[in-house]
Structure formats: structure tokens, C-alpha cells
Amino acid sequence: MLWAECKVLDTVRGRRRPRGAARKLSCSFWFLLLFGAGGLVLFIHLQDLSDMVQQQGPGVKFSGMTRQTREELCSHQESDVAAAALVVRGVKHDEPSADNPVSPMQFPASEWNRAGPTPGSRVTKRHRKLLKTNPLVRSNSTSPWLSNTLPESWRRLTRIQEARRRLMKEVCAKYRSNISRTVTPHHVSRIYVEDHYKLLYCEVPKVGCSNWKRVLMVLSGIASSTRDIGHDAVHYGNHLKRLDSFDRQGIARRLDTYTKVLFVREPMERLVSAFRDKFESPNSYYHPVFGKPIISRYRVNASKSALRTGSGVTFQEFIRYLLDVHRPVGMDIHWEPVTQLCSPCLLDYDFIGKFETMEEDANFLLHRTGAPRNLTFPTFKDRNPKAARTSAHITQHYFTQLNASDRQRAYDFYYMDYLMFNYSKPFKDLY
């Protein structure tokens, strides 16, 4: 309508306009000018919306994702992991590639990463507004943790942490696109809370969890030294709070502002460690509760003594139970995959440590959180101190008792743990 009216006015005016006024701006020109200005405003608005979409974290549903088969995942695993973790063939695990430098980790990520854009990203109008109004963002520009005066070992560990978190986010975005973003008490039932130093630690059994609980108890003021805390006090004393004991507001606030910590271990090695601890040593819970139904289901001509006590479960029987879709007894946290136990795609952990570098990672984290300088991560063995720690060599010995099919199925069972935390295939015959 506006265009038509302008055309009519131009026609009428054209009849009355003297020749000397030919250079005056026409209504058509003004219309085009206004139309162009409106288009520019719309473009800027859409650009800001695009920036907001790109900043969404893991757990967001991404459209356009097609379901990939197991074979496709396997065929693309090495290239996906290398791109996400910034690790190339020939480079040591967890070390950033020289050709792909990793920006320093902003820690704790739960506060700093929300405050401003990640290093190297485009600064939008919304970011500039935050930089002007948020004092936390202004203070980060001079943070000592981003300084070149740090010891090289700390800068190296910072780069490793950033690489691990990037890999976790890449895997979550690619293979967990339909995960719910709603946090329920079940998702945080394995997370312990330390309010003074604002730590959330997800307990992964057989990954130094007993000693981590000791550390949390010292940080909470329950004990003065990790050496003073016995096994029963750690596991049965109920001295530490779990995150699911708080109301929804308390859970949400802590997840949003505390440092979320996760420690992982090579999956097969963790599995063998759990088997040795629970079935090869005397245990008043796992033998009757798990051993009896396992022996009854998978052992031919089982003796009355074995059926009565549940003792003597073999590793082959244990694996058959683990891989059975109709298990005679349910899953247990000691061999449940970390991706199921701690929900990393939903909770977005700020710090990912590894059992293989436990002491270095743990002490780095304690220093970063401002823990007392005399507090270091304990290295003593919590249970069966005389038994050798489960190693890669011991793990290989146990898995040679299995055929190739069972080894492959066990690897498939922990596939997401291997992929998300950058562990290599443990056996050459795996596909």
C-alpha cells in the first residue's frame, strides 16, 4: 500500500513539478532508504541470535543429527577423538598438539566460562555489555592463572585440562544430542559436596574415591589429616553430604557456582580392579548378593557350598553376568560406566582427572582451589594393602581368559567411556 501511494504521489507531483525541481528526492528513494535501514537492524539482531545459539553448552538438542550405526561410530572414532582432543598420532596422550595450541583453562569454568567469550571467539555486543557491567569479568583479565609467569608444569596441566573438557563436550554434542537437560536427584546421587571450598566430587569407585573422600573430610574440618581417617569412617561414617540431599534450589545453585570434579580410569583396568576387590577377597556383601546368583545362573553343576556362600566367582562368569541383558542381579556402581554414573554430558564437569596421573592431577586441583598447602592427595592403598595394584599387565592377564567375542562385547559395553576420556583400545583384535 505504501509503495502504491508513493507511486501515485510521484505521478501527481510529476505533473505539477517544474523542471527546476527535478533534483529533489522522490518518495521512492525515501522508501528504499527506510527499507534498507530496517534490513540492517534485522541482520544485526539475527547475528546476535546466532551467537547465542553457538554458545549453548553440551546437552542441548541439536537438530539435523542422524542416527549413526555402531560401525560408523567405530570408523570415525579416531578422527573424531583427534579433532576434539587436539591430539594427533605420534603425540603423547593428553598432551596438546604443537600445531593446535590449546587456550588456557578458565577455572572454575562454572563461573568464568559464563562471564565472557572463550579465547579466540568473536566478541559480540552482548559480550561487550557484560565486560562493562560484570566485575568478575574485568578481574579475570589480570588473573594470575592466565599469566606467562606460571611454572611450565602448571601451564601444561592447564592445557591438558582444557583438552579433556573439549573432548568431553565434542563427544557429548555428537553422540548425546537427545539427552534431557533436566537434572534430577538421581543424576547427582553420587556427587559429594564440600561447601567451604565449593567442590562437587562425583564418586567413581576404583578411581581413588576413598582417598578423595578423606581429602574432602579434611577440607570440611572433620579431620586434621587424611592419615587419621580409617576405612569405616570413610565409607560408613556419613560425614559428607551428597548433592541429592539438598532441595532443587540448593542443587541448582551448587551446580551453577561450585567446581565440579570427575576422576576416571582406563575402563577395563577399573573393571578388573573391581572384580579382584569384590570377588577374590572375602566380602560379606558381594559374595552373597552378587556371587550366589552369578554362580547359580552361569556355572554348570555348581557345588552346594558355592551356591550357599557365593564365593569363588570366576572372571569368565563375572563377564557373562556383566554382558547379560537379563542379569540375575542388577548393576553396581563399581563397574557401571562413568558416562552413566556421573552424567558428564548433563553436568559439564570443570575438572577431569585421571587415575593414571592421579597424584599430579589431584594436587594441581587442590592448589587451584586454595586448599591448605600441607594437604596433598594421599597415595596409600585403602583396601587389601598387601595386594598389588591392578595394572595394565594384570588386566591383560585376566582378559586373556576370555575369547575374542567377549573381549569385543566388554569393549562395546564401555565404548563411550573409551571415547569420551580418550583411552586407546586395550586389545589389538578389537574393531
Side-chain angles (χ1 to χ4, degrees), residues 262-410:
L262 173 65
F263 274 79
V264 298
R265 184 177 186 177
E266 204 283 332
M268 297 303 189
E269 188 174 306
R270 174 175 169 245
L271 178 66
V272 171
S273 177
F275 172 77
R276 295 177 67 204
D277 182 31
K278 304 307 178 186
F279 295 101
E280 291 188 344
S281 302
N283 193 295
S284 60
Y285 173 77
Y286 283 90
H287 288 192
V289 174
F290 285 86
K292 289 169 65 174
I294 289 175
I295 291 174
S296 176
R297 177 76 169 262
Y298 306 109
R299 184 176 299 182
V300 179
N301 299 324
S303 66
K304 293 182 178 179
S305 175
L307 293 172
R308 184 180 68 255
T309 63
S311 300
V313 173
T314 66
F315 188 64
Q316 296 96 318
E317 292 168 342
F318 174 67
I319 293 298
R320 290 186 64 186
Y321 144 77
L322 181 73
L323 303 178
D324 192 344
V325 295
H326 302 292
R327 299 185 189 94
V329 60
M331 181 57 61
D332 184 80
I333 62 172
H334 286 81
W335 41 84
E336 186 173 9
V338 176
T339 47
Q340 298 294 325
L341 194 63
C342 293
S343 303
C345 291
L346 180 62
L347 302 182
D348 189 20
Y349 288 88
D350 304 313
F351 190 96
I352 303 171
K354 290 195 172 185
F355 183 84
E356 293 76 15
T357 54
M358 172 67 78
E359 190 173 357
E360 184 179 44
D361 289 350
N363 290 329
F364 177 58
L365 172 64
L366 290 174
H367 188 90
R368 292 290 296 270
T369 55
R373 292 190 176 185
N374 62 345
L375 177 60
T376 57
F377 189 79
T379 58
F380 56 84
K381 203 168 183 286
D382 184 60
R383 284 173 56 85
N384 304 318
K386 296 182 179 180
R389 289 184 183 272
T390 302
S391 62
H393 177 73
I394 292 177
T395 301
Q396 290 280 344
H397 170 72
Y398 276 82
F399 273 87
T400 56
Q401 304 173 29
L402 308 178
N403 57 40
S405 175
D406 285 344
R407 285 197 298 271
Q408 180 65 52
R409 293 174 63 204

Side-chain angles (χ1 to χ4, degrees), residues 7 22 183 195 232 250 345 354:
K7 295 295 291 181
V183 178
D195 283 314
D232 290 345
C345 291
K354 290 195 172 185

Side-chain angles (χ1 to χ4, degrees), residues 161-225:
Q161 278 302 310
E162 185 63 24
R164 290 175 183 174
R165 293 191 69 246
R166 285 187 181 183
L167 174 60
M168 178 184 69
K169 289 186 176 184
E170 289 286 340
V171 173
C172 288
K174 186 165 187 178
Y175 301 117
R176 298 291 188 181
S177 59
N178 295 323
I179 191 171
S180 171
R181 296 196 65 181
T182 303
V183 178
T184 67
H186 170 73
H187 291 123
V188 298
S189 61
R190 306 309 310 175
I191 295 181
Y192 287 91
V193 180
E194 203 297 296
D195 283 314
H196 183 68
Y197 290 90
K198 296 186 176 182
L199 286 175
L200 298 179
Y201 164 72
C202 185
E203 176 191 25
V204 180
K206 313 313 297 179
V207 191
C209 64
S210 298
N211 282 335
W212 259 114
K213 290 179 185 178
R214 288 184 171 93
V215 169
L216 295 178
M217 291 171 69
V218 172
L219 291 176
S220 302
I222 299 171
S224 58
S225 171

Side-chain angles (χ1 to χ4, degrees), residues 115-155:
T118 57
S121 66
R122 188 172 63 84
V123 179
T124 66
K125 291 171 63 178
R126 191 167 69 90
H127 290 147
R128 287 192 290 269
K129 184 176 180 181
L130 284 173
L131 288 170
K132 293 179 181 178
T133 59
N134 194 330
L136 179 62
V137 178
R138 292 198 301 270
S139 65
N140 287 344
S141 61
T142 58
S143 171
W145 294 111
L146 303 182
S147 170
N148 290 329
T149 61
L150 281 175
E152 175 56 32
S153 60
W154 288 358
R155 282 185 279 154

